[in-house]
Amino acid sequence: MIFLLLAVVGSVCFNQCLRYGQKHGTNILAAIVVNYLIAAGASLMIFLSHGLSPSRLLDGHVIAVAGVNGILYFAHILVILAAYRIVGVGITAALSRAGTVVPVLVSWLAWGETMTPYRWVALALVPVSMILMRRRESSHPRVTVRGDLVLFTCFAMAGTILTLHKYAQIHFTVGQRETYMTLLFTFATLSSLSYAFARRVEYSKGDVALGGAIGFVNASMLLLVLICLARIPAVVFYPTLASLEICLNVFASRLLWKESLLKRQMMGLLLAIGIVLLTNVPSR
């Protein structure tokens, strides 16, 4: 349970640091590039500190999964930024977090994790709760077919990323999972650096500082997620993480940025608490 709580705290810190960057005019793309670079370095330090053999880096299976997910990590950021412009921040964040549904269904179908009636109800409530708790928008863009496609892509990519984490936990050894972390962030770094170079992105001290901070948090989060998946079924972990994370993010935004709490957000918070309780009802 302590690892789950730490993962929630890490996720909230990551989101609020990005919010801080937005509020203070940080170049988010530049910060994201630095973030992946720092996360790759931190993951490599963890790998080396355990005295693991570098030959594990030559495992084709690990490289392939880490490569796909590393590229998805950065591509998902680009899709999220596009969705922000097209349909708004709130609905984008809600649909991205609702991607939790995908790894839960895959874990039930592919790896035989138990879904009780309570967990099915909780899973059905996840998208509803996420949408209710979305942030207030300063404008309400009309959702078009293009917007629908971007939102679906955002949802699907988030679900794929989380599913591949579960895949890594199932199929890789402890040492291979640490290799997976290092390679994932390495591929994300290479992808983001290539894109930033093509866009001629410039880096300020503020961008580097923010990127460094979220990079350490990002590496810690992935480590905690893999630890939790080794101890808690994905059908329990992912809905619990998403619900607690968004609850704390709503409260943190109110405390730090003075964002008002809407009635629908209160309803979403109550649903999120219900999701956590229903998901954690023990199976017989």
Side-chain angles (χ1 to χ4, degrees):
M1 182 59 72
I2 185 64
F3 293 113
L4 171 60
L5 295 177
L6 288 173
V8 172
V9 171
S11 181
V12 172
C13 289
F14 185 87
N15 282 281
Q16 294 306 318
C17 283
L18 284 179
R19 188 83 173 107
Y20 175 88
Q22 288 177 325
K23 286 280 188 179
H24 291 79
T26 302
N27 184 331
I28 297 300
L29 181 56
I32 290 296
V33 174
V34 176
N35 143 71
Y36 288 138
L37 182 61
I38 297 299
S43 299
L44 180 61
M45 288 176 63
I46 293 172
F47 177 85
L48 295 175
S49 70
H50 291 165
L52 299 172
S53 171
S55 63
R56 292 182 185 275
L57 292 171
L58 301 177
D59 189 311
H61 187 197
V62 178
I63 293 172
V65 177
V68 170
N69 223 11
I71 294 170
L72 281 176
Y73 253 54
F74 176 62
H76 190 224
I77 293 291
L78 296 181
V79 172
I80 286 175
L81 293 176
Y84 283 174
R85 294 190 300 270
I86 297 169
V87 298
V89 174
I91 192 67
T92 299
L95 264 291
S96 183
R97 289 187 178 92
T100 298
V101 170
V102 176
V104 170
L105 291 176
V106 173
S107 295
W108 170 62
L109 288 169
W111 298 303
E113 294 192 351
T114 302
M115 284 293 290
T116 65
Y118 296 109
R119 290 173 186 170
W120 282 117
V121 172
L123 187 64
L125 291 175
V126 167
V128 179
S129 176
M130 301 300 109
I131 291 173
L132 285 173
M133 285 191 286
R134 69 189 186 276
R135 280 170 44 193
R136 184 199 299 270
E137 303 289 356
S138 57
S139 62
H140 300 272
R142 184 170 62 87
V143 178
T144 61
V145 173
R146 182 187 178 201
D148 288 337
L149 288 174
V150 171
L151 284 175
F152 175 77
T153 303
C154 190
F155 168 86
M157 291 178 77
T160 302
I161 288 169
L162 297 177
T163 301
L164 287 175
H165 289 336
K166 179 61 181 178
Y167 180 92
Q169 185 275 316
I170 290 285
H171 293 281
F172 299 160
T173 65
V174 174
Q176 287 175 326
R177 288 198 290 271
E178 293 190 3
T179 303
Y180 165 78
M181 283 180 53
T182 303
L183 289 175
L184 184 154
F185 287 123
T186 300
F187 276 101
T189 300
L190 294 174
S191 301
S192 59
L193 274 174
S194 300
Y195 182 82
F197 180 77
R199 295 289 299 270
R200 298 183 179 179
V201 173
E202 297 181 354
Y203 302 84
S204 69
K205 290 181 180 179
D207 302 336
V208 173
L210 178 64
I214 62 176
F216 282 111
V217 173
N218 209 357
S220 301
M221 278 171 52
L222 180 52
L223 178 61
L224 289 166
V225 165
L226 293 175
I227 290 173
C228 287
L229 287 173
R231 291 165 168 76
I232 306 171
V235 297
V236 174
F237 172 67
Y238 279 135
T240 302
L241 175 67
S243 300
L244 291 177
E245 173 203 341
I246 199 166
C247 282
L248 289 182
N249 268 318
V250 168
F251 284 121
S253 295
R254 179 173 175 79
L255 180 65
L256 297 173
W257 317 117
K258 310 303 179 185
E259 294 181 0
S260 58
L261 198 60
L262 306 176
K263 289 183 179 179
R264 63 168 168 77
Q265 288 178 312
M266 287 298 299
M267 293 176 60
L269 287 171
L270 292 174
L271 277 181
I273 293 170
I275 289 168
V276 173
L277 295 175
L278 288 169
T279 300
N280 286 275
V281 173
S283 57
R284 296 182 179 179

